[in-house]
Amino acid sequence: FWSGHNERVAWAATHARAVTTDLYVETIDDARGRYAAENGMRPLAVREERITVRGEADVVLSVRETHHGPLLDGLLPGDRPALAAAWGGAREGDGVASLLGVIAARDAAGVRAALASHQEPALAFVYADAAGRGGRQVAGWLPARNMPTGLVPVPGRSPWYDWRGRVPFESLPHVPLGAAGFVVAADAPLTEADAIEWWWRSGE
């Protein structure tokens, strides 16, 4: 995915394969512009997105949202239930400044400090510095869940599937460089971390 070095630090990164998007089946009252939530009906939020097209008229989309995220109206074929998409990349944060911080890092601690603010995409980094220190670190905006979704749409009116914010950076998988002198990051199981749902499944 991304690798490089400066005069003091070397790094490489691959996809962490963590699930950062959930789909919620919402119960919509179109006539009143409301949807069902834990404590009754709430008003849908509505906003406009203007897309500028070179040589053509602007395309204006009306986006309806629940507290989970935007409804996928008209994006999926066929007669489907109303689905809202929650995505960690839509939360507050920056995926560029953190990577620029890695480039400027002077040691292994500086790499981890830069990755603490990383948002999207979720990455598994390996890194080492000229003093022989390093490790493997998962970084990104990973949702803290009460229950795993099993990679299927879940009931939007149930609070059990609502996100509880972001998994703290200190709780993300981290392996320091040990006596073996190396660590590995690959598109495979990293760890069974609580509150983090991974694309891989054991036995597959």
Side-chain angles (χ1 to χ4, degrees):
F1 181 84
W2 182 52
S3 62
H5 68 88
N6 58 32
E7 65 273 20
R8 298 292 302 171
V9 177
W11 64 85
T14 188
H15 294 288
R17 301 181 68 82
V19 180
T20 60
T21 302
D22 283 337
L23 293 177
Y24 294 85
V25 181
E26 305 286 17
T27 303
I28 305 295
D29 180 352
D30 281 311
R32 294 179 173 85
R34 303 186 303 177
Y35 70 100
E38 176 187 2
N39 297 318
M41 302 299 288
R42 296 187 189 179
L44 286 164
V46 182
R47 60 183 170 83
E48 281 192 350
E49 290 284 350
R50 182 176 299 272
I51 303 171
T52 302
V53 182
R54 184 169 60 184
E56 303 287 343
D58 290 356
V59 177
V60 180
L61 300 177
S62 179
V63 180
R64 302 188 300 166
E65 290 185 277
T66 71
H67 69 285
H68 296 121
L71 293 171
L72 305 181
D73 300 59
L75 298 179
L76 301 173
D79 186 18
R80 296 176 180 269
L83 293 176
W87 174 44
R91 303 301 174 101
E92 185 176 349
D94 191 337
V96 176
S98 58
L99 301 183
L100 293 176
V102 170
I103 293 173
R106 308 304 298 167
D107 55 26
V111 172
R112 287 199 73 210
L115 293 178
S117 63
H118 183 68
Q119 180 191 23
E120 179 70 18
L123 296 173
F125 269 82
V126 289
Y127 56 93
D129 63 22
R133 296 164 298 199
R136 183 183 70 208
Q137 175 69 57
V138 172
W141 205 107
L142 276 65
R145 297 177 172 89
N146 292 308
M147 296 176 61
T149 65
L151 303 181
V152 297
V154 295
R157 64 193 309 165
S158 171
W160 300 110
Y161 294 103
D162 283 356
W163 289 0
R164 296 182 287 105
R166 178 180 188 166
V167 176
F169 179 74
E170 295 75 17
S171 298
L172 296 178
H174 171 244
V175 178
L177 190 63
F182 67 90
V183 290
V184 176
D187 292 340
L190 291 173
T191 181
E192 289 278 7
D194 292 339
I196 301 173
E197 190 165 351
W198 301 97
W199 281 114
W200 63 271
R201 290 289 182 269
S202 60
E204 294 183 358

